[in-house]
Structure formats: C-alpha cells, structure tokens
Amino acid sequence: MDGEAEPTMDFSFDTISAEEYDRQRESYEPLVDALRGLIDAGIHTEVDEATVGEALGHLEAATALLRRQRRQGRATLRHADTGRPVAWANPAVGLRNAIAPPMVIEHEPDGSCWSEFTLGPAYEGPPGWVHGGICALVLDHILGEVASDGLTKPKFTGTISLRYLRGTPQGPLRAEAFVERTEGVKTYVRGYLLDADGVTVEADGVFIEPAWARQV
C-alpha cells in the first residue's frame, strides 16, 4: 500500500566456528544422506502392509529421538573463517535438508559459479525427467549465488525468465551462472542447466538490492 515502509529483513547471522561447522557436518551429513535414501526407498518400495507398518513404527521412533532437542536459534549461520552463510535448511544447498540434492557451489576468480550434482527420482516430473519446477529452483539459487557474491550481499530475485530447450534427464547435471552487468541496484545474471549433451534450460535473472540495504 502507498505510504507503507518496505519491510526490513534481518540479514545478520549467528556465527559458527570452523571447528563446530566440521563437527556438525561430520555428525549430521550421514543422517541426511540416510534420509535421502529413505525418500528413494519410499518411492520404489513394494513391501507388504505388515512391513510398511513395521517401517512406520521405526520412523516414528526415529522422529521422536531427533525431536528430543531442537535448534532454538537461526537455521542459517555464518562461517567464522569464510564469512559465507551456512544455510543448513536451504532446499538447494542445505546440508541438513534431505530434499536438497545438495548443490555444492564452486566460485571462480572471475566471479562465476558452477555446481555439479545428481537429481534422481525424488525430483521427477515426466517419467525419467526432472520436474521443470526443480530446474527453476536450481537455476534461481545459482543465479542468486552469483548475483549476491555467494549470498554475502542482500540481492533478491526481481524477475527470472527460463527457456526450457529440451527435457532435463535424471542423473548427473551441472549448473552455471555469471553476472552480465550491474546497473544501480539491479544485477543482471545468466545461467544454464546442462546434462552430458549440453544445455537443457537457460535462465536470465534480475536481482535487486532491497531499499533497506542501500547506503544513504
């Protein structure tokens, strides 16, 4: 509405030390990998009803165990050594989120980004192919990474345009992104999703620095 101030997002993060980050990653990464395996098993299983009931009991017990102590602070922290966010819950890169592939984003000296990862049946749209919305998620994230210098600067998606050149098959994939130009508070970026045969989806995005983050 006219006259309303733009909401201010708290872009500060609690800090996690390198030692604590490594400890938590070593502890929780195998758990999250097992959860990904569970998702795959749930998609493909054809066990009988009794076995389903038995498995359900184990899952409910495991859920109760994990809920004995819950995080009270932020899900996103800042790594003390690198200064970059540690987004445990992010659906694209979160090390503690089983629905994330996860993407490990590599940053090149020229500012571009890339990631190689695998998308399997949990991300299926048409049989054997990755859901178009998942392609959009992957590209929106890596475009945001490159626009915001590895998520260290507040830059949010203004617009993103996708061109689906052909189907994206399940399996090993690569995403790439780079900044084309910056004009004031807008950063223009381009990215691609590729399989072994080349580009499957192209993306153009405009990422905007919010008013509350701009220097007066």
Side-chain angles (χ1 to χ4, degrees):
M1 295 176 61
D2 292 341
E4 287 188 354
E6 179 181 327
T8 299
M9 181 177 294
D10 185 354
F11 211 68
S12 62
F13 302 124
D14 296 333
T15 300
I16 184 171
S17 69
E19 293 77 13
E20 179 61 14
Y21 170 81
D22 290 340
R23 185 195 70 78
Q24 290 197 31
R25 179 167 186 162
E26 183 177 355
S27 177
Y28 291 111
E29 196 167 30
L31 171 66
V32 180
D33 284 342
L35 290 173
R36 293 190 182 99
L38 177 64
I39 291 171
D40 185 77
I43 291 170
H44 293 103
T45 188
E46 291 188 353
V47 298
D48 58 30
E49 291 182 5
T51 306
V52 170
E54 181 181 358
L56 178 60
H58 288 301
L59 291 176
E60 290 173 340
T63 300
L65 281 172
L66 294 173
R67 283 181 171 165
R68 285 182 179 177
Q69 185 171 343
R70 295 171 63 91
R71 177 185 296 276
Q72 300 300 317
R74 299 170 181 268
T76 299
L77 306 172
R78 188 177 298 282
H79 195 285
D81 286 3
T82 67
R84 294 188 180 277
V86 177
W88 292 126
N90 187 286
V93 298
L95 293 174
R96 301 268 299 263
N97 190 339
I99 70 170
M103 299 168 66
V104 177
I105 308 296
E106 304 291 345
H107 297 263
E108 296 295 338
D110 64 1
S112 63
C113 294
W114 60 273
S115 180
E116 294 180 346
F117 48 92
T118 298
L119 296 179
Y123 308 96
E124 186 174 80
W129 302 90
V130 177
H131 193 291
I134 299 299
C135 298
L137 167 69
V138 165
L139 285 165
D140 180 58
H141 183 85
I142 199 164
L143 264 61
E145 280 265 357
V146 80
S148 64
D149 191 17
L151 306 183
T152 61
K153 300 174 182 176
K155 297 284 184 73
F156 301 112
T157 310
T159 60
I160 183 169
S161 300
L162 303 174
R163 287 172 294 280
Y164 293 84
L165 306 182
R166 57 187 174 88
T168 301
Q170 294 178 29
L173 298 167
R174 178 184 174 95
E176 303 173 351
F178 61 93
V179 174
E180 290 192 308
R181 67 187 189 279
T182 298
E183 296 179 359
V185 299
K186 296 181 179 180
T187 300
Y188 295 80
V189 294
R190 174 177 284 264
Y192 305 96
L193 183 62
L194 309 93
D195 66 3
D197 296 322
V199 176
T200 63
V201 187
E202 297 177 343
D204 289 294
V206 181
F207 287 74
I208 301 173
E209 183 181 28
W212 55 262
R214 301 168 196 168
Q215 293 184 351
V216 179

